[in-house]
């Protein structure tokens, strides 16, 4: 088993429960951790034998572009696509952080983190 991480994917998006949040938008950070069998790719040196991090970044960007009220919803959509579109992924963790959330205080970010294993 191996790990692929794509960290600090920076995205501007329109998520939130308040009208102002979805109208104005804000900055987000997404971190992805993937567990997969990397034995074949480490020997073959072929992209087709591994989880392509370009694919991971693309999925994150596409799902972050769809406005949602909750970050949990966005993270679950990302996880669903990972498992539906790449059979090599055995486990995935997605963290979605809202930078400078409008919660009335000096808060750098709020983060939700979801993990999921492939169902056999």
């Amino acid at each position: 088993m191996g790990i692929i991480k794509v960290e600090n994917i920076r995205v501007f998006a329109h998520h939130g429960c308040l009208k102002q949040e979805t109208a104005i938008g804000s900055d987000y950070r997404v971190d992805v951790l993937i567990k997969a069998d990397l034995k074949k790719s480490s020997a073959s040196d072929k992209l087709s034998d591994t989880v392509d991090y370009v694919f991971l970044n693309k999925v994150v960007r596409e799902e972050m572009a769809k406005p949602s009220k909750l970050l949990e919803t966005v993270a679950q959509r990302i996880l669903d696509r990972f498992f539906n579109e790449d059979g090599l992924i055995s486990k995935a963790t997605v963290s979605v952080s809202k930078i400078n959330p409008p919660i009335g205080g000096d808060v750098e970010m709020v983060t939700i983190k979801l993990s999921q294993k492939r169902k056999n």
Side-chain angles (χ1 to χ4, degrees):
M1 205 49 58
I3 293 175
I4 296 172
K5 294 197 290 185
V6 184
E7 299 178 296
N8 201 17
I9 302 168
R10 292 176 297 278
V11 180
F12 186 84
H14 299 269
H15 305 299
C17 292
L18 304 174
K19 280 187 177 183
Q20 182 181 4
E21 289 179 291
T22 54
I24 295 171
S26 57
D27 292 313
Y28 293 83
R29 170 188 172 154
V30 180
D31 296 289
V32 174
L33 185 142
I34 300 294
K35 288 189 178 181
D37 185 351
L38 303 179
K39 193 177 292 186
K40 185 175 180 181
S41 61
S42 64
S44 73
D45 200 30
K46 292 182 181 176
L47 183 59
S48 60
D49 291 336
T50 193
V51 178
D52 185 355
Y53 49 79
V54 172
F55 157 75
L56 299 173
N57 183 61
K58 177 181 176 269
V59 168
V60 167
R61 292 191 172 284
E62 288 174 357
E63 294 306 321
M64 288 295 291
K66 300 173 187 173
S68 294
K69 290 179 182 173
L70 300 178
L71 300 181
E72 292 90 327
T73 304
V74 182
Q76 188 60 57
R77 283 200 317 255
I78 293 167
L79 286 170
D80 290 345
R81 285 206 43 205
F82 284 171
F83 286 103
N84 290 334
E85 297 178 28
D86 193 317
L88 293 175
I89 297 171
S90 60
K91 184 177 180 184
T93 300
V94 175
S95 299
V96 180
S97 303
K98 181 178 261 189
I99 311 298
N100 295 320
I103 60 174
D106 186 11
V107 177
E108 181 181 357
M109 70 178 88
V110 294
T111 302
I112 65 92
K113 184 177 188 178
L114 295 180
S115 295
Q116 187 173 317
K117 290 183 180 179
R118 180 170 297 282
K119 297 172 182 86
N120 294 333

